Every structure is written in C-alpha cells, then in structure tokens.
Amino acid sequence: MEAVIKYLRVDEWMSSKVTMMLGIQAYFICLDQTDALAACKELLVYFLFLSLFLAVSYVANDFSDLEIDKMAGKKKVIGNLPRWAVWLSFLLMALAGDVPILLYADNKIFAVAAVFLTTFLGVAYSVPGIRFKERGIWGLIECSFAQHCMPLVVLLLFLNWNRLNIFLWIVWFCLSFFDGLRYILIHQFIDRENDRATGTHTFVSDRQMNIRKWILYLCMAEGVCCIFLLVPLFARYSVIIISGLAFNFILEFCIYEVLNVYAKKDWLVSYDSVPLEALLNIIMPVMFGLCMAKRNVWAGLFCIFILVCCFKSLKIKLGIANVFLKSKFS
C-alpha cells in the first residue's frame, strides 16, 4: 500500500488540491441548501474524479521525467516498474475516475467534453511533444489552469446555474488559478538549480527575477477573492466563519514568526508551510463542512474526512506554531 501511495504521489495532491476542491463543492452545497443524500452522492463522485485525475497527471509527469530524475539522483517507485504496468495503471485510473461522473451527469455531452479536456490538459504539462513544463510563461499558465481550474469546469456538472452561483464560480476559478500559479512558481523556484543542471527549461530557471514580489501579489489577489466568497455565507454562518478566520490568523502568524524570524527562511517562497495553504485546503473546507452540519449532523463526517486527509500537513503546521507558542509562554 505504501508503494502505491508513493507511486500515485497521494501526499502531494490529496491535502493540497483535493480537499480544496471538495471544499468548493461543499461551499455551493451550503449556498444552495442541497439535499443531504444528493450532496453525499455528488461529493463521492467528484472525489473519485479529482483523486484519479490528479494521480494520472502526477504519474504522467514522473513517467515523462524518468531520465531527468535519474540524472538528478531522484529515486521513484515508477523507475522500478515495467512500461506495460505503467500504461495499465493509466487505463485503470482513467476508468475508475471518469466512468462514475459520466454516468452520474445529466448533461452527458458536456460531461464528456469537460472530463476529456481536463485530463488532456493535466498530462500536457509534462508529456513529450507538448510538454508545457518547458514553455516558459505558458507552462506556468497551463499547469495552474489544468490542475486548479479545469476541475472547477467539471464541478459545473453539479451546480445550479443561477447568476449568483455563476459569479461565485468565476471568483473561485480566479482564486484557484492564482493559487495554482503561486504553487508552481514556488515549485520551480525550489527546483531551479536542478533544472539548470539537467538543462530543463522552466519559467524560473531561465530567468533572474524577483519571485517574491509576484508571489506576494498573488497572495493579495487570493485574499480579495476569499472576501468576496465568504460574504454570501456570512449572515447565516457568521460564528463559524469568524472562528475559522481567527484560527487561521493565529496559525499563520505563529508560522511566520518561526520561519522568518527564528529559522531565517523566506516564508513566501518556502514549502515548509505555504502561505494560505491552511486556509484554502483545511480551514475553509472544514468551515463549509460545519455549515453543512448545521442542517444535517452527518455532514460532520465531511469535516473528519478533510482533517484525516490533511492530518500530516496540519500536524506539521501545528508543530511549527507550537515552537512559537512554547518560546513565548514557557
């Protein structure tokens, strides 16, 4: 099982992408007051699609980078597998993720188009012949769009298409794009020396630029989007929203103090704890789960599921925050 998890790179997308997308779905469930049974079905189908789409994307990237990773000294599970086994895994993942959502969707034509385009863009970042990874600014845009925005196009299959929902969906789309762009900038910044050593051309490795400035702008844009998104729910769920935001502020402040002041690291361009990661991937999904639980107590299971998925990430963040608290109060 551990080898399968490493092969699919579950730790890299479950708590950073899947939980955020499920949180967005929970947001619209709260907004539309969706029936509990229908909400459960939709969450399950969307979860299967998200998980296996991301698994395909990440495995495709590893498969395309086998030789580059060997040159860089990286050892991955995929390097020990025969090619037929990798291709078979692609087929099984595609079937398990796509078939349920295609069967569930009312608009079959839109569902087929959305699923196909999302999967294509997910693998286009790394596959030979297309390989947006090495196309500079277009690689940044494509990766952010594919993994953070296209799953929201699939989410349209479950939404009521009224004006408010479409407007809020657009805001979520922009927020997800900015978030994905920020992540890939940080990722390329961290990998820039390996990429230069192996001759891999990325937006960051080919340029000498102030990455920190652009990441700060993206953080600010995401913050504005969050304000717009929380306003429609505030009147009905004000206590939950205020509590969640207060917890996030305290957590991020503690993490900032430890990384910037104590460890002398740059908080904005570090993967030790990415800014807004806790808010978007853990705290907001749990907030929306609690909002659903006000109508149906069983929705609390959604909160537990999010916390289980993010346990490792949350443990790290709380551990960092605890360092600051101990330094001040012990």
Side-chain angles (χ1 to χ4, degrees):
M1 181 58 71
E2 184 179 350
V4 173
I5 291 173
K6 287 183 178 179
Y7 173 67
L8 301 178
R9 293 170 65 182
V10 174
D11 288 344
E12 297 183 44
W13 46 258
M14 180 62 76
S15 62
S16 64
K17 296 182 179 72
V18 170
T19 54
M20 179 181 174
M21 292 297 161
L22 290 178
I24 297 172
Q25 189 177 23
Y27 171 86
F28 284 106
I29 288 171
C30 294
L31 202 65
D32 293 340
Q33 302 287 286
T34 306
D35 172 75
L37 182 59
C40 288
K41 291 178 181 177
E42 292 176 2
L43 285 165
L44 177 60
V45 169
Y46 194 49
F47 169 73
L48 286 172
F49 169 76
L50 284 172
S51 298
L52 292 162
F53 155 67
L54 289 166
V56 167
S57 300
Y58 275 74
V59 174
N61 181 70
D62 286 346
F63 194 42
S64 301
D65 287 353
L66 275 175
E67 297 305 319
I68 294 173
D69 286 342
K70 287 179 182 178
M71 291 172 62
K74 295 181 181 179
K75 295 182 179 180
K76 296 183 177 179
V77 174
I78 195 171
N80 300 321
L81 296 176
R83 289 181 176 268
W84 68 264
V86 178
W87 284 110
L88 179 61
S89 74
F90 282 136
L91 176 62
L92 294 176
M93 286 188 288
L95 289 174
D98 296 349
V99 170
I101 201 166
L102 293 177
L103 292 175
Y104 186 85
D106 292 327
N107 189 333
K108 304 296 185 187
I109 296 176
F110 179 76
V112 170
V115 167
F116 173 80
L117 185 58
T118 300
T119 304
F120 171 77
L121 291 176
V123 300
Y125 179 70
S126 56
V127 295
I130 306 174
R131 204 163 172 78
F132 277 99
K133 184 176 184 177
E134 298 186 8
R135 295 180 185 266
I137 186 65
W138 293 109
L140 290 176
I141 293 172
E142 194 277 342
C143 184
S144 178
F145 196 80
Q147 294 190 357
H148 289 259
C149 298
M150 285 307 297
L152 290 178
V153 174
V154 176
L155 182 60
L156 285 171
L157 292 167
F158 306 108
L159 299 189
N160 294 322
W161 288 33
N162 56 55
R163 288 184 179 180
L164 178 60
N165 277 2
I166 295 301
F167 169 74
L168 293 171
W169 179 87
I170 291 171
V171 178
W172 274 116
F173 191 92
C174 293
L175 170 59
S176 297
F177 178 74
F178 297 148
D179 191 55
L181 198 58
R182 185 164 57 92
Y183 266 86
I184 194 64
L185 277 173
I186 295 172
H187 177 75
Q188 289 190 2
F189 180 78
I190 293 171
D191 282 355
R192 68 193 186 284
E193 297 305 327
N194 276 340
D195 288 337
R196 288 167 182 166
T198 58
T200 302
H201 298 280
T202 66
F203 180 79
V204 174
S205 68
D206 288 345
R207 291 167 176 81
Q208 298 293 333
M209 60 184 297
N210 186 357
I211 292 292
R212 193 179 191 282
K213 178 182 71 173
W214 291 103
I215 291 175
L216 179 60
Y217 290 158
L218 289 169
C219 279
M220 293 170 63
E222 289 177 60
V224 172
C225 289
C226 286
I227 293 171
F228 273 103
L229 290 165
L230 292 176
V231 167
L233 295 179
F234 189 80
R236 197 182 302 161
Y237 307 108
S238 56
V239 174
I240 294 173
I241 291 173
I242 291 172
S243 299
L245 294 179
F247 176 77
N248 179 73
F249 176 81
I250 295 169
L251 180 64
E252 289 289 3
F253 175 77
C254 294
I255 291 172
Y256 170 83
E257 287 290 313
V258 172
L259 293 182
N260 266 41
V261 180
Y262 297 172
K264 305 299 181 184
K265 293 184 177 182
D266 194 334
W267 174 65
L268 278 176
V269 293
S270 170
Y271 261 168
D272 290 316
S273 183
V274 179
L276 297 180
E277 183 178 55
L279 177 66
L280 297 175
N281 300 338
I282 307 172
I283 296 172
M284 285 178 70
V286 169
M287 282 166 48
F288 302 144
L290 291 173
C291 293
M292 290 192 297
K294 285 191 71 175
R295 294 180 58 241
N296 189 316
V297 69
W298 289 104
L301 293 173
F302 175 81
C303 300
I304 296 173
F305 176 76
I306 295 294
L307 292 173
V308 169
C309 290
C310 299
F311 176 77
K312 185 177 179 180
S313 175
L314 184 59
K315 183 180 178 181
I316 292 171
K317 294 179 187 301
L318 292 175
I320 296 172
N322 191 46
V323 171
F324 173 76
L325 295 175
K326 280 185 175 180
S327 71
K328 294 297 181 181
F329 301 108
S330 64

